[in-house]
């Protein structure tokens, strides 16, 4: 399915850009060296060409992109997911768990946490108990980060008790990405309920990074 996309992207390959992109991502992934606006121009034309946005959500398309070597392909999978977010349901939870735990880094995990996982949990709250509860104490750091962040854009719909529960489960973590996620979640929720966040920070033993990030708007 993606042969024409590969051909179009290869025409925009830029080795100099790729070097700096790979360096920025700690050399964890290879890149074609295509910056976001240019990448989206190519992918949007491809989406239109094959009419995929007018079809049911395509698991196989996402999986195929995730298997590709260069990071731009995972970025295009995320762009596709965001464009068809309304078609995503609880039936896709296993796919997203697989994406979160494969080729994992903040650039993919944070979008997956906020968009598809956030939507599934909002639409089907039973999946919080069935899946996300397990993620909050999972050995996989990225699933734990997802559990902390999936309510990030919920605002006044945030389940405060659940948010604080997941933060407490991870408050002793030495992992940078967990400490940062805790701070980010608290900072975002402080826009909705600053008094609650202030009290939570004062009453719990959090990492300095989490406190610093969580207190920015207090």
């Amino acid at each position: 399915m993606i042969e024409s996309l590969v051909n179009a992207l290869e025409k925009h390959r830029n080795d100099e850009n790729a070097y700096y992109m790979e360096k920025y991502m700690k050399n964890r992934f290879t890149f074609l060296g295509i910056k976001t606006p240019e990448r989206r121009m190519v992918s949007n034309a491809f989406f239109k060409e094959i009419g995929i946005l007018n079809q049911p959500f395509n698991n196989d398309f996402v999986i195929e992109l995730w298997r590709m070597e260069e990071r731009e392909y995972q970025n295009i999978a995320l762009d596709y997911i965001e464009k068809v977010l309304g078609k995503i349901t609880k039936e896709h939870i296993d796919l997203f768990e697989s994406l979160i735990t494969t080729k994992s880094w903040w650039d993919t995990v944070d979008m997956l946490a906020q968009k598809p996982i956030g939507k599934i949990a909002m639409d089907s709250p039973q999946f919080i108990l069935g899946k996300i509860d397990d993620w909050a104490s999972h050995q996989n750091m990225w699933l734990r980060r997802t559990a902390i962040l999936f309510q990030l854009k919920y605002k006044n719909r945030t389940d405060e008790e659940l948010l604080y529960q997941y933060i407490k489960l991870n408050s002793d973590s030495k992992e940078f990405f967990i400490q940062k996620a805790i701070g980010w979640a608290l900072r975002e929720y402080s826009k909705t309920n600053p008094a609650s966040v202030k009290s939570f920070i004062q009453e719990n033993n959090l990492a300095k990074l989490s406190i610093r990030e969580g207190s920015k708007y207090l």
Side-chain angles (χ1 to χ4, degrees):
M1 174 184 282
I2 67 170
E3 184 177 349
S4 64
L5 175 62
V6 172
N7 292 336
L9 289 171
E10 285 294 337
K11 293 176 183 177
H12 294 268
R13 182 187 282 271
N14 184 311
D15 292 340
E16 183 178 356
N17 286 346
Y19 170 80
Y20 290 105
M21 289 176 172
E22 289 165 13
K23 187 176 181 181
Y24 176 69
M25 296 295 283
K26 311 293 186 184
N27 293 308
R28 289 178 174 269
F29 310 101
T30 58
F31 281 80
L32 293 165
I34 304 173
K35 294 183 178 180
T36 300
E38 194 174 9
R39 184 196 79 229
R40 286 183 173 157
M41 179 188 70
V42 173
S43 62
N44 286 340
F46 172 75
F47 293 153
K48 185 175 181 180
E49 173 192 337
I50 65 173
I52 196 169
L53 302 182
N54 299 319
Q55 301 167 11
F57 182 76
N58 193 321
N59 280 35
D60 293 339
F61 175 63
V62 173
I63 292 169
E64 190 174 5
L65 288 171
W66 221 259
R67 288 174 177 162
M68 298 293 287
E69 182 179 356
E70 292 88 359
R71 197 59 165 174
E72 283 87 348
Y73 291 104
Q74 285 88 68
N75 294 151
I76 290 171
L78 297 180
D79 289 342
Y80 167 70
I81 289 165
E82 186 166 10
K83 286 179 179 294
V84 297
L85 200 60
K87 301 177 182 181
I88 289 169
T89 70
K90 61 186 180 181
E91 308 302 326
H92 302 115
I93 192 75
D94 289 337
L95 168 67
F96 293 115
E97 182 173 3
S98 174
L99 300 184
I100 290 165
T101 56
T102 307
K103 299 186 177 180
S104 310
W105 201 239
W106 61 265
D107 63 322
T108 55
V109 171
D110 292 358
M111 183 278 186
L112 293 168
Q114 295 176 67
K115 298 293 178 68
I117 300 303
K119 179 187 185 297
I120 291 170
M122 181 69 74
D123 293 347
S124 305
Q126 70 270 26
F127 270 81
I128 295 175
L129 297 177
K131 276 282 187 183
I132 301 178
D133 257 5
D134 291 337
W135 293 356
S137 56
H138 200 281
Q139 63 180 4
N140 185 286
M141 172 187 72
W142 298 107
L143 289 175
R144 298 202 308 277
R145 183 173 168 100
T146 298
I148 295 166
L149 293 179
F150 83 94
Q151 297 191 87
L152 199 68
K153 301 302 180 183
Y154 278 22
K155 298 182 179 178
N156 60 4
R157 294 178 294 178
T158 300
D159 184 331
E160 179 182 291
E161 183 179 352
L162 191 70
L163 173 64
Y164 291 164
Q165 176 189 334
Y166 290 172
I167 288 174
K168 288 177 183 179
L169 280 173
N170 290 277
S171 60
D172 62 349
S173 175
K174 305 302 182 188
E175 290 281 0
F176 169 82
F177 286 109
I178 296 298
Q179 294 182 2
K180 189 82 170 178
I182 289 171
W184 188 13
L186 290 172
R187 183 174 78 236
E188 196 67 21
Y189 186 51
S190 75
K191 298 175 185 177
T192 298
N193 196 338
S196 175
V197 172
K198 185 175 182 179
S199 295
F200 181 80
I201 290 174
Q202 290 173 342
E203 294 167 7
N204 290 274
N205 186 23
L206 304 177
K208 290 181 180 179
L209 173 60
S210 299
I211 295 171
R212 186 168 65 249
E213 291 292 323
S215 302
K216 278 188 176 178
Y217 298 140
L218 297 177

